[in-house]
Amino acid sequence: MIELTGVRWTYQGGDVAVLDGLDLRVERGETVVLCGPSGSGKSSALRLMNGLIPLFHEGKLEGEVRVDGAPITDLALVGQVTGTVLQHPRRQFFTDAIDTELAFALENFGAPSERIRRRVAEVTAEFGLDELTGRLRELSGGQQQRVACAAAITHGPPILLFDEPTSNLSARAVDDFTRVLSHLRDLGMTLVIAEHRLHYLRDLADRIVILHGGRVTRQWTRPEIAKLTDETMRAEGLRGLRAPVRAAVATAAARGPSIETADAGPTDAVAGADSGVALRGVQCGFRGRRVLDIEEAHLPAGRITAVTGPNGAGKSTLARVLAGLQRHRGNVLLDGRARSRAQRQRETAIVMQDVQRQLFTDSVDAELRLGMTPEQADHAARVLADLDLDHCGDRHPLSLSGGQQQRLVVATARLSGRRVVIFDEPSSGVDRRHLRSMTRTMRDVATGGAVVVLISHDADLLDLAADQELRLRPLS
Amino acid sequence: MTVARSHTERAVPHHVGLPAAAGTPGRWTMDPRTAVALLLAASITIMAPGGLWFVPAALVVGVLLAVTERAWRRAVVIPVAALAAAAANYLLPLAAPWPVLGIVAITAGFVLRLIAIGGIAAHLARTVSPTRLTAALRAARVPSAFTVSGAVLLRFMPTIIAETAAVWDAMRLRGLGGVGGMLRHPLLAIEYFTVPLMASSLRSAEDLSASALLRGLGARKRPTAMHPPRFGRADLAVVAVVAVLIATTVVWRGAL
Amino acid sequence: MTIDSTAQPRLDVKMSPRDLINIGIFAALYLATVGVLNALEFIGPLATLVSIVVSIIAGGVPFMLFLTRVKHAGMVTVFAVIVNAFMLLIGSPAIALVLGVLLALVAEALLWLGRYRSRKLSVVAYAVFSMWFAGLFLPMFYAREDYLSGEYMQSMGQEYRDALDAFLSPGVLAAFDLSTFLFGLIGGVLGLRLLDKHFRKAGIA
């Protein structure tokens, strides 16, 4: 079905070949998982299969690529035999409703209206999409992923390609997604999945292919997969094979309608509120609808508080309240004193999910000096060394890797002595090694006396990092 | 889930990204082609010499459209804003014979015309989804160069506006959002704003374009439509109402 | 088999879907950057003019980036058509669309003369393109009789009428046009500067 022979690929402007001597064959109806550490070339391998390399991404390709028996010459043609699902379904949706999204490919390929309507109805029923209401962007991450899968197969391609499909999904959504995958597998489709998390694929995969430095270094077949141990996985730098069982984490002291009270934590008299952040009667609305309502909560200094909960529970809103970016009722206290929003803006840093949004200058050094006092800037070298960035002072921040960009933002936060540092989904698409270094960074910030807030769906990361959990729930 | 308002696209202001509810229109909605034609006609006549005469008619259309979509607030705002602009246009020069007031009055006269057109534009923006608009433009045989790029523009607009808000948040947290600093170094402020905006928007655009290309966007000159746009009773009703309003305007003008 | 997909400028008119998608993306970036929506809110004539100046300069950044990402004859024309059509949809006068497309054809010709590679010509092309902003106010000038007539005008005295007449005179329009052109040049230069300072190093341009 898919044949890659002796492929070598270098992105335009890149010095090293991302794929180098890649040979891979995928048979019809097979489910193949590509994994390997960040930068091993698994996403690039996937992009070869749908032609994005070399037809969308520019660079130099050697070797042979055949999909469904033919070399790839045109994206729309290969698009008819492959369906692709990416990390962020929201980003790849082209329309704002489920039915139009499903119809999109069929319309572009010129199917007759009658057939489009029939096929859309069929797939809607098959994927249980009729129970979903509202616009696409209002659905939860898991529901969006389900729609993305449905939209990828509506035009009937025999091959489905997934690029880290679960990196933004909660544990429950991953279960849901696993059922979708197994359904597609039963339909006899060829599935290729590039993924960090392997636990949910254990019973689905016919083959696990490990990539390192742009070539296949190892393959496990079904019987071998069954015998894999966590030690083997760790040796390969891969995430665990078992679904992370969340160790019982302490519940943050909090109460109010927005707080999930499943395990009754300390409900009255939030104690120790003279250090760290305390919320008192915080309420927030958006377009006349209440989105956050916390009577009382305490986020202690020196610890990592994980904020969790489904989409729409107000996690982002809470982060924006803490940072002083969001109007709200009630008070936010820092070390026992109420702080205005303007004050909090100066005391808080957010490490955003898309860190490019917060890199403003043309070198790492300049980025660290931006908005700092001379005394603060004196410590720049030390902070850079702490964060493993000391060799890239002259580089352009946007040319750094994602992990380095995150650490650069952390460096600016530390240098300016921010008391509250919020990490927003820092681990999407990150392997085990990076997960650990990220946890270490957060831990360092906390040890420095800051209040660290971690917003994440990633069970692996929560397991490693969270000291306590503040679980939110949607209002009404 | 992203902190800084993110591309959940929740924070998109009302009047911008042409969002709309369901993907599939009901029987009583106007065909987007009619809506666009109506807007074009209003824009051309009202901005032409002598166009002031048609302002009341356009205002009536705007209010009626707001009523049909149950946008009560807009149904009130359009006439009130128009009255205010008209008052500024006609009454301000009477207050004192200063040329400055005259200039404000002239501007108000222009704003009055914009409000009349804006009422119709707002209806279009709130009821016609980008998908339907694109399908309608295709049906009207607009060349695919414009429908493909235009569809992408409409799709990407809300994402970028959310991105703009996020960059603005990031600037505030770094202390770059102060008005004083911006006035002192305007070019630097533009740099701090545009560089992250371009970097992050283009990254999220990459997924969108890859997925759209793979799903055949632009592959054929004439794509098909799940629900081909069709003129219906609503369009007939609109044409009838507009005809009556034009006739009334002409008669009224002749009578004066 | 070796494929080198590094892009070269193309001077034929037929655009690939990829080009069209890029044009749409940059048109959205341009519109969001110039924030025309704010400009149209008419807080007052002065505020509008100031925000237009900022818009024209800032718009140079996405525009210059656009010229590096798509290199294809007709790109600026398609760009101008959809930008101005969007403006039309949010209520700007229809004449602005006509003006915008004419200006884009001139800009396109300039770029073509430079084979889509000349930096100087690209700055001038942006400045020419930017003059579409004048289209937003054009009706006030070509329909000036409407604005200057009226019974109260007659009762106001000659001096008053002369002042307003001067305000809506072709000279003012020409001055406005010229200033959009000049600010366009500044925006174009800023865009080029940021290309060198940031986007090339970041691998975006």
Side-chain angles (χ1 to χ4, degrees):
Chain A
M1 206 66 194
I2 302 172
E3 281 171 90
L4 312 176
T5 328
V7 174
R8 185 183 155 87
W9 165 255
T10 317
Y11 282 101
Q12 187 185 6
D15 325 318
V16 282
V18 182
L19 299 174
D20 195 358
L22 176 68
D23 292 296
L24 185 65
R25 240 184 107 87
V26 178
E27 304 300 331
R28 187 177 295 272
E30 209 184 2
T31 299
V32 173
V33 177
L34 304 179
C35 60
S38 306
S40 60
K42 55 186 184 309
S43 292
S44 300
L46 214 61
R47 289 171 179 170
L48 278 177
M49 300 177 191
N50 56 22
L52 290 178
I53 287 178
L55 298 174
F56 183 77
H57 300 280
E58 288 166 1
K60 205 172 158 216
L61 177 72
E62 291 160 63
E64 205 176 355
V65 180
R66 294 176 87 84
V67 173
D68 204 14
I72 297 174
T73 52
D74 180 85
L75 281 178
L77 286 179
V78 72
Q80 299 192 12
V81 290
T82 59
T84 304
V85 177
L86 304 171
Q87 237 183 71
H88 304 277
R90 211 170 42 214
R91 283 188 184 174
Q92 62 171 322
F93 288 148
F94 201 87
T95 72
D96 51 11
I98 294 173
D99 58 345
T100 51
E101 188 64 28
L102 296 193
F104 185 72
L106 283 170
E107 291 181 338
N108 290 328
F109 291 135
S113 309
E114 175 52 35
R115 215 191 103 213
I116 301 179
R117 287 195 290 267
R118 212 175 46 233
R119 181 71 184 138
V120 168
E122 232 171 72
V123 175
T124 306
E126 189 181 328
F127 280 75
L129 299 177
D130 22 19
E131 63 191 46
L132 305 181
T133 51
R135 294 193 216 155
L136 279 181
R137 55 172 172 259
E138 288 157 2
L139 302 177
S140 76
Q143 291 167 335
Q144 287 182 346
Q145 195 62 285
R146 194 158 19 129
V147 175
C149 291
I153 66 138
T154 308
H155 62 290
I159 303 170
L160 262 186
L161 308 170
F162 298 86
D163 194 0
E164 297 181 17
T166 65
S167 58
N168 292 302
L169 298 188
S170 64
R172 227 182 51 211
V174 173
D175 291 344
D176 218 29
F177 177 68
T178 315
R179 273 193 294 279
V180 171
L181 277 186
S182 115
H183 170 70
L184 294 172
R185 188 173 182 277
D186 293 344
L187 290 178
M189 299 193 61
T190 309
L191 308 179
V192 182
I193 306 157
E195 186 54 292
H196 285 296
R197 300 176 177 182
L198 289 177
H199 58 82
Y200 74 97
L201 294 167
R202 196 172 187 165
D203 299 324
L204 282 171
D206 294 313
R207 193 146 51 106
I208 295 182
V209 175
I210 313 280
L211 293 164
H212 255 291
R215 67 178 66 194
V216 177
T217 54
R218 203 162 201 162
Q219 304 209 29
W220 292 315
T221 54
R222 217 161 224 290
E224 289 166 318
I225 295 171
K227 280 183 266 172
L228 286 176
T229 63
D230 257 349
E231 281 70 52
T232 343
M233 303 302 286
R234 203 166 299 140
E236 297 283 346
L238 302 171
R239 290 202 190 187
L241 258 184
R242 264 177 290 279
V245 184
R246 295 278 308 282
V249 180
T251 310
R255 62 192 170 85
S258 275
I259 308 292
E260 181 84 78
T261 47
D263 35 355
T267 44
D268 48 18
V270 174
D274 47 343
S275 118
V277 171
L279 280 71
R280 300 260 187 275
V282 168
Q283 285 180 333
C284 252
F286 183 77
R287 279 194 205 160
R289 219 186 50 199
R290 220 163 38 122
V291 289
L292 188 70
D293 190 343
I294 297 177
E295 281 167 33
E296 218 165 21
H298 178 221
L299 314 176
R303 310 193 68 189
I304 300 173
T305 304
V307 174
T308 60
N311 277 7
K315 302 192 292 289
S316 323
T317 311
L318 175 59
R320 287 175 50 80
V321 166
L322 291 174
L325 293 170
Q326 171 86 46
R327 281 175 199 285
H328 62 89
R329 273 196 242 164
N331 284 318
V332 178
L333 291 73
L334 185 58
D335 299 335
R337 277 185 318 229
R339 292 296 165 97
S340 72
R341 283 176 48 215
Q343 284 169 325
R344 272 178 279 145
Q345 284 178 19
R346 287 193 292 273
E347 306 256 27
T348 313
I350 300 182
V351 182
M352 296 179 176
Q353 186 177 8
D354 296 311
V355 271
Q356 292 91 342
R357 289 168 175 169
Q358 44 190 155
L359 300 171
F360 301 98
T361 61
D362 63 340
S363 75
V364 169
D365 281 335
E367 193 68 34
L368 279 180
R369 278 197 305 274
L370 181 66
M372 302 288 169
T373 62
E375 302 88 76
Q376 290 170 333
D378 282 345
H379 302 289
R382 189 175 46 80
V383 172
L384 278 186
D386 280 357
L387 291 166
D388 218 5
L389 290 169
D390 37 352
H391 50 283
C392 34
D394 291 333
R395 286 190 51 192
H396 195 288
L398 291 172
S399 72
L400 302 173
S401 76
Q404 288 171 322
Q405 290 178 345
Q406 272 181 349
R407 294 206 297 279
L408 177 56
V409 174
V410 172
T412 62
R414 271 168 85 174
L415 207 53
S416 54
R418 304 285 164 141
R419 292 279 292 122
V420 181
V421 181
I422 300 166
F423 291 83
D424 181 19
E425 298 284 358
S427 68
S428 49
V430 152
D431 61 25
R432 190 177 212 146
R433 199 159 46 92
H434 285 85
L435 218 52
R436 292 201 178 278
S437 83
M438 189 179 300
T439 309
R440 210 163 42 237
T441 309
M442 279 189 276
R443 181 62 59 204
D444 283 353
V445 175
T447 315
V451 177
V452 176
V453 177
L454 166 63
I455 298 176
S456 183
H457 283 118
D458 187 336
D460 288 314
L461 179 66
L462 291 172
D463 208 27
L464 280 170
D467 294 322
Q468 61 165 12
E469 181 177 2
L470 182 65
R471 195 165 170 72
L472 299 181
R473 65 173 176 201
L475 292 169
S476 72
Chain B
M1 189 88 293
T2 307
V3 171
R5 273 197 276 185
S6 83
H7 35 246
T8 43
E9 292 165 17
R10 233 181 26 180
V12 175
H14 268 287
H15 54 289
V16 209
L18 308 184
T24 309
R27 217 160 36 125
W28 266 107
T29 29
M30 195 181 0
D31 187 290
R33 285 171 289 180
T34 312
V36 171
L38 189 60
L39 178 63
L40 261 177
S43 179
I44 291 169
T45 42
I46 288 176
M47 287 298 178
L52 196 58
W53 290 98
F54 290 93
V55 165
L59 288 170
V60 171
V61 172
V63 171
L64 285 178
L65 289 174
V67 169
T68 57
E69 62 169 298
R70 300 210 173 83
W72 307 122
R73 248 187 66 189
R74 193 187 328 137
V76 176
V77 166
I78 292 175
V80 169
L83 275 177
N89 186 21
Y90 292 108
L91 303 180
L92 217 50
L94 302 179
W98 304 329
V100 180
L101 286 186
I103 290 175
V104 175
I106 287 178
T107 319
F110 188 55
V111 173
L112 175 62
R113 289 163 166 86
L114 282 180
I115 293 170
I117 301 170
I120 301 173
H123 173 77
L124 193 122
R126 295 299 297 167
T127 56
V128 180
S129 73
T131 322
R132 278 181 64 218
L133 184 62
T134 313
L137 292 177
R138 281 175 185 155
R141 302 191 175 262
V142 172
S144 67
F146 305 125
T147 53
V148 171
S149 54
V152 174
L153 162 66
L154 294 176
R155 160 63 181 81
F156 206 46
M157 205 62 194
T159 310
I160 299 192
I161 288 168
E163 206 70 46
T164 312
V167 170
W168 184 240
D169 280 350
M171 287 175 73
R172 284 203 284 171
L173 288 175
R174 282 295 285 277
L176 304 174
V179 177
M182 290 195 183
L183 290 178
R184 267 196 308 276
H185 305 287
L187 289 187
L188 204 55
I190 292 178
E191 179 177 340
Y192 289 149
F193 177 68
T194 50
V195 169
L197 180 67
M198 301 298 130
S200 66
S201 302
L202 288 179
R203 214 176 77 109
S204 88
E206 201 153 276
D207 283 1
L208 177 71
S209 4
S211 162
L213 284 169
L214 287 171
R215 290 190 288 158
L217 182 64
R220 288 168 59 105
K221 276 235 143 46
R222 302 282 317 259
T224 46
M226 175 165 58
H227 301 286
R230 216 178 282 160
F231 294 109
R233 277 179 273 177
D235 302 284
L236 206 63
V238 171
V239 170
V241 169
V242 169
V244 168
L245 284 171
I246 290 175
T248 315
T249 305
V250 171
V251 170
W252 170 51
R253 195 175 167 182
L256 282 177
Chain C
M1 185 184 69
T2 302
I3 299 171
D4 194 341
S5 62
T6 314
Q8 292 296 321
R10 277 153 302 158
L11 302 177
D12 57 317
V13 187
K14 193 178 166 354
M15 281 192 231
S16 68
R18 175 92 198 268
D19 292 328
L20 294 175
I21 289 175
N22 271 332
I23 292 173
I25 285 167
F26 277 96
L29 265 172
Y30 174 77
L31 280 169
T33 309
V34 301
V36 204
L37 304 149
N38 299 329
L40 277 185
E41 269 167 3
F42 273 88
I43 319 156
L46 189 66
T48 310
L49 291 181
V50 171
S51 77
I52 284 185
V53 168
V54 176
S55 294
I56 293 176
I57 296 177
V61 181
F63 193 88
M64 287 309 188
L65 196 50
F66 171 54
L67 293 185
T68 69
R69 293 278 286 237
V70 184
K71 285 186 184 293
H72 207 302
M75 55 183 284
V76 176
T77 311
V78 176
F79 183 87
V81 168
I82 61 172
V83 162
N84 284 288
F86 182 85
M87 293 304 296
L88 189 72
L89 285 183
I90 63 170
S92 97
I95 187 76
L97 175 69
V98 178
L99 178 68
V101 173
L102 290 178
L103 290 169
L105 288 172
V106 176
E108 191 85 56
L110 287 169
L111 289 172
W112 201 84
L113 282 178
R115 290 295 182 268
Y116 292 83
R117 282 198 205 122
S118 160
R119 286 163 69 92
K120 278 187 195 126
L121 283 174
S122 67
V123 172
V124 181
Y126 175 64
V128 170
F129 170 79
S130 296
M131 288 164 72
W132 72 267
F133 275 94
L136 296 176
F137 307 97
L138 213 49
M140 286 175 79
F141 294 89
Y142 69 69
R144 59 203 293 263
E145 288 310 314
D146 276 29
Y147 294 87
L148 295 178
S149 61
E151 280 158 46
Y152 64 89
M153 276 294 180
Q154 306 310 320
S155 66
M156 280 317 208
Q158 191 59 41
E159 199 184 327
Y160 180 86
R161 265 181 291 156
D162 286 348
L164 295 191
D165 209 45
F167 173 63
L168 289 187
S169 68
V172 171
L173 179 64
F176 184 77
D177 257 12
L178 187 66
S179 58
T180 54
F181 181 78
L182 291 178
F183 288 119
L185 288 179
I186 298 178
V189 172
L190 176 73
L192 274 188
R193 216 176 83 81
L194 296 191
L195 276 185
D196 295 335
K197 187 176 171 190
H198 293 282
F199 300 123
R200 282 194 217 291
K201 290 187 202 164
I204 296 174

